[in-house]
Amino acid sequence: MVRFFRLLSIALTLLISVQLHAAISSQVDRNAVEQGQTFLLVLNLTQSDSRQVDLSPLEKDFEIIGRSHQSSTSIINGELESSTKLIITLAPKRSGKLEVPALTLNGEKSQPHSIEVKPVKQLSAVDGGVELLSTLSDSSPMVQQPIIYQMNLVLGQRIYNASFQEPTIKQGKALIQPLGEQRQYRQTLNGREMLVVEQSWLITPQQSGSLSIEGAKLSAEIRNLNAGIDPFRRMNDPRAMRRIFLSADSYTVEVAPIPETFTGQNWLAASELQLKSELSSQQWKVGEPITRTITLKAKGIGQDQLAELVLPTVENIKQYAAKPVYEQDQKDNELSVTMTQEVTIIPSQQGEMVLPEVKLAWWNTKTNKEEVARLPQQVINVAPSAEHAQTVTVAPVEALPVTAPSAPVNRVGNSQPNAVSENGSTLAAVQPLSAWLMVAMVVVAALCGSGGTMLYYKRAGLEPRKGKAKLEAQQVDLKPCLDALQRACKKNDPQLARDALLAWGQLVFPGCTHLNHLQQALPLSMSDMITELNRCCYDRAPSVWQGDQLWQAIKGYQPSFVSQGTNTLATLVPN
């Protein structure tokens, strides 16, 4: 019997020792709370870092309000032992019977605990409470048709330590992004003034089928009016505050697929769509730029759903499209967008030119039918450039009369220096033999010149540049733009100068689609001139712009392909 009691005492000692040295254990300060109240979960840790404890299992049914640490050190049987208490403040997210799950540390688990959360009736905003409302702009969207989820937080009293959780997708596939900034305004209902906080999100379905949207959530603290605490201590006493959790309505919608009958190249679904085009001038001349402004207005879609317009190519016309500019707006829970694209057009040949019709197929979500927006065909008459017109108006040179066969000829075969016609005019008499001799001399001189040039390159160890033709072609392309820029600068016309400068920049710097790109590529002094040009073009107040400084700067600027060509060519006649 003595031996039995001895074995039992040893077993109890070992069991107590194991409990004392367990890696983790837990306890709660109470097992029943009201919704909005908090309780404490205490974790006892031995010889472990509290940061190693994974608290994520708690977040399913509880919100972690705060945490603190208490450390202690003791000497047992000559051994130094340390322990840590991790104190976690938890707030239940819903009412009912909840379970605090077991937490794991170094392969050991703490004890689970049951918590009974009693429901508390939430007051409406009119009665001095807090409400979280939501609306959805469309309950039957199509693929890639954005819908607006709008949340309104109505405050009948002040809240503290608030945090929002945006709506999430529980089923299906969609993109969610905030739409605009959060705004606040005051509203009066039943004689009570309330603060309304409004926030919207843009949800764009990426596939057809069922789309489940879980509503936005709010976690905050409000004053506990039933706490019975001195009002002067209410903010410092934990019992004076109560935690609330609110959820806005959730939605499930059916996303319709793209109709098989749609014929457009890019899928575009909208409630309204308009397409129009304007030209900066109806007076077209060869080499002078014209700005074509294309504007697309649509409702029920955002800028992410719009693709850049692809304009058909036109023979003898160069087109340089700038980067589109988007303006997106939200009004009455509906999204609208305006896309503006500028295209610089430079005709290279006079005569009648045709700008082809532009079509854009889209799906009308109101009528559930396909429609086509059109830019009608335009016929343009291009006049010759100013330089060409001056060349054509020069008076023609009179043809010389044929020499009379009876003109006297001297013995050596040369005609007399001057021959006088019947009306007294002096004519140069040229004999056929002399003309053939002159042609032969020109041909011989040309051959000798070519041979001399080749001989010089051979002796100098050089070869003529193979890219000379390409260089000349690039210089020819720049000439109309430079001529147009010179005319605009002389007229001090900032709008024409801007168009011509953009066309020049797109040739000199491939990939340049906007004057902002050109500013980054040019020296700082020229960048400042472009900034001033832009200001004069877009400033609402009229201002005077002088273009001579800009023209001199561009005229003296050497593009990379021109400067490289100049450096690699040796002079034909060395000094």
Side-chain angles (χ1 to χ4, degrees):
M1 180 65 68
V2 176
R3 184 177 181 184
F4 171 77
F5 281 107
R6 183 179 297 176
L7 292 175
L8 182 60
S9 62
I10 293 174
L12 291 175
T13 304
L14 292 174
L15 181 60
I16 295 173
S17 177
V18 170
Q19 291 293 329
L20 290 175
H21 291 82
I24 182 172
S25 62
S26 64
Q27 62 189 52
V28 293
D29 66 336
R30 48 184 169 166
N31 298 102
V33 295
E34 290 185 351
Q35 188 176 5
Q37 292 181 335
T38 61
F39 65 95
L40 299 179
L41 172 64
V42 181
L43 299 178
N44 300 304
L45 311 176
T46 59
Q47 299 179 351
S48 298
D49 188 351
S50 61
R51 292 175 296 181
Q52 297 178 359
V53 182
D54 183 14
L55 302 180
S56 59
L58 299 173
E59 297 176 354
K60 179 182 178 182
D61 294 323
F62 304 93
E63 181 179 3
I64 300 176
I65 303 300
R67 66 185 73 185
S68 60
H69 299 79
Q70 292 181 0
S71 300
S72 62
T73 303
S74 60
I75 301 176
I76 300 177
N77 297 328
E79 294 183 359
L80 183 66
E81 294 186 358
S82 62
S83 62
T84 301
K85 285 186 177 180
L86 177 59
I87 304 173
I88 306 171
T89 304
L90 297 177
K93 292 183 178 180
R94 55 186 177 87
S95 60
K97 289 188 176 181
L98 306 181
E99 183 180 86
V100 179
L103 302 178
T104 304
L105 178 65
N106 296 334
E108 298 188 26
K109 292 186 177 181
S110 64
Q111 300 85 358
H113 303 277
S114 295
I115 299 292
E116 183 180 357
V117 183
K118 300 176 182 180
V120 175
K121 183 180 179 181
Q122 299 289 348
L123 296 177
S124 64
V126 176
D127 296 328
V130 180
E131 290 185 84
L132 190 62
L133 310 175
S134 66
T135 57
L136 197 65
S137 63
D138 195 344
S139 59
S140 56
M142 306 187 74
V143 174
Q144 290 294 326
Q145 179 191 352
I147 52 180
I148 299 175
Y149 182 99
Q150 181 174 305
M151 178 207 71
N152 290 332
L153 174 63
V154 187
L155 300 176
Q157 64 170 302
R158 189 173 180 180
I159 61 176
Y160 305 89
N161 301 323
S163 62
F164 284 107
Q165 179 181 338
E166 66 179 18
T168 56
I169 302 300
K170 289 300 181 182
Q171 181 182 356
K173 186 177 181 181
L175 300 178
I176 297 183
Q177 57 184 354
L179 182 59
E181 299 293 333
Q182 185 183 98
R183 71 187 193 99
Q184 300 181 6
Y185 58 91
R186 295 195 174 272
Q187 184 177 12
T188 302
L189 291 176
N190 295 342
R192 178 188 289 271
E193 187 181 67
M194 293 168 291
L195 178 66
V196 180
V197 180
E198 184 179 288
Q199 175 69 60
S200 297
W201 288 268
L202 195 65
I203 302 177
T204 307
Q206 299 297 302
Q207 64 183 20
S208 60
S210 182
L211 179 65
S212 179
I213 305 170
E214 185 174 354
K217 299 181 184 299
L218 168 71
S219 171
E221 289 183 349
I222 61 174
R223 293 180 183 270
N224 190 358
L225 301 180
N226 299 323
I229 307 299
D230 186 349
F232 295 101
R233 299 179 55 193
R234 191 166 284 168
M235 293 301 297
N236 298 325
D237 195 322
R239 294 174 296 171
M241 305 302 293
R242 183 165 63 90
R243 198 79 184 172
I244 61 172
F245 297 90
L246 300 177
S247 298
D249 291 336
S250 299
Y251 301 90
T252 299
V253 299
E254 289 296 324
V255 181
I258 300 175
E260 296 180 357
T261 57
F262 183 71
T263 61
Q265 183 176 3
N266 297 313
W267 169 245
L268 184 61
S271 57
E272 293 182 18
L273 191 141
Q274 297 177 355
L275 191 62
K276 66 177 184 178
S277 173
E278 293 181 357
L279 296 174
S280 59
S281 175
Q282 297 295 331
Q283 305 297 323
W284 290 56
K285 292 184 179 181
V286 174
E288 294 190 5
I290 298 293
T291 300
R292 184 184 191 185
T293 304
I294 300 175
T295 305
L296 189 154
K297 295 183 178 181
K299 289 185 177 181
I301 57 174
Q303 68 180 56
D304 294 336
Q305 282 69 51
L306 294 179
E308 294 187 15
L309 292 174
V310 179
L311 302 178
T313 58
V314 183
E315 189 177 359
N316 298 322
I317 286 183
K318 296 181 179 180
Q319 302 183 79
Y320 305 94
K323 188 176 181 180
V325 178
Y326 298 93
E327 293 182 4
Q328 187 169 278
D329 189 26
Q330 175 194 356
K331 187 177 181 181
D332 298 331
N333 212 21
E334 185 178 29
L335 195 64
S336 62
V337 62
T338 300
M339 182 187 76
T340 304
Q341 186 169 19
E342 290 187 354
V343 182
T344 302
I345 304 175
I346 303 179
S348 58
Q349 182 176 328
Q350 70 181 47
E352 187 177 270
M353 300 288 177
V354 177
L355 296 180
E357 180 185 46
V358 178
K359 297 181 181 181
L360 178 63
W362 62 287
W363 191 267
N364 192 327
T365 56
K366 289 184 177 180
T367 62
N368 201 29
K369 294 181 179 179
E370 179 180 341
E371 296 187 14
V372 179
R374 289 181 171 86
L375 294 179
Q377 173 181 294
Q378 291 181 277
V379 180
I380 306 297
N381 290 318
V382 181
S385 62
E387 291 82 356
H388 182 68
Q390 293 175 0
T391 304
V392 173
T393 55
V394 173
V397 180
E398 296 184 1
L400 295 178
V402 180
T403 305
S406 57
V409 180
N410 58 15
R411 296 290 180 178
V412 294
N414 294 330
S415 61
Q416 295 180 355
N418 297 315
V420 182
S421 62
E422 294 180 357
N423 58 7
S425 60
T426 304
L427 303 176
V430 181
Q431 296 296 334
L433 181 60
S434 300
W436 283 106
L437 288 174
M438 291 178 64
V439 171
M441 292 175 63
V442 170
V443 172
V444 171
L447 292 176
C448 291
S450 300
T453 301
M454 297 301 295
L455 181 61
Y456 170 77
Y457 275 111
K458 185 175 181 180
R459 290 181 177 180
L462 301 174
E463 293 183 0
R465 290 189 63 212
K466 296 181 181 180
K468 183 178 180 181
K470 181 179 179 180
L471 174 62
E472 292 176 350
Q474 290 170 324
Q475 291 174 336
V476 170
D477 287 340
L478 289 178
K479 189 177 185 304
C481 301
L482 291 173
D483 292 342
L485 180 61
Q486 183 181 15
R487 288 192 294 269
C489 291
K490 286 185 177 180
K491 294 179 182 178
N492 296 323
D493 189 329
Q495 187 61 48
L496 290 179
R498 176 185 176 275
D499 297 338
L501 184 62
L502 179 59
W504 174 83
Q506 290 172 334
L507 289 175
V508 176
F509 303 101
C512 175
T513 59
H514 200 273
L515 286 186
N516 292 338
H517 299 164
L518 189 58
Q519 284 182 287
Q520 298 175 3
L522 292 174
L524 182 59
S525 58
M526 299 175 69
S527 177
D528 294 340
M529 297 179 192
I530 296 176
T531 301
E532 177 66 18
L533 176 62
N534 272 329
R535 186 189 66 80
C536 293
C537 287
Y538 297 108
D539 197 356
R540 294 183 178 180
S543 57
V544 179
W545 177 74
Q546 300 294 332
D548 182 66
Q549 187 179 9
L550 176 63
W551 165 244
Q552 294 299 329
I554 297 297
K555 179 182 177 182
Y557 180 76
Q558 289 291 331
S560 58
F561 58 79
V562 174
S563 60
Q564 291 172 0
T566 305
N567 292 336
T568 54
L569 284 177
T571 56
L572 292 180
V573 183
N575 295 329

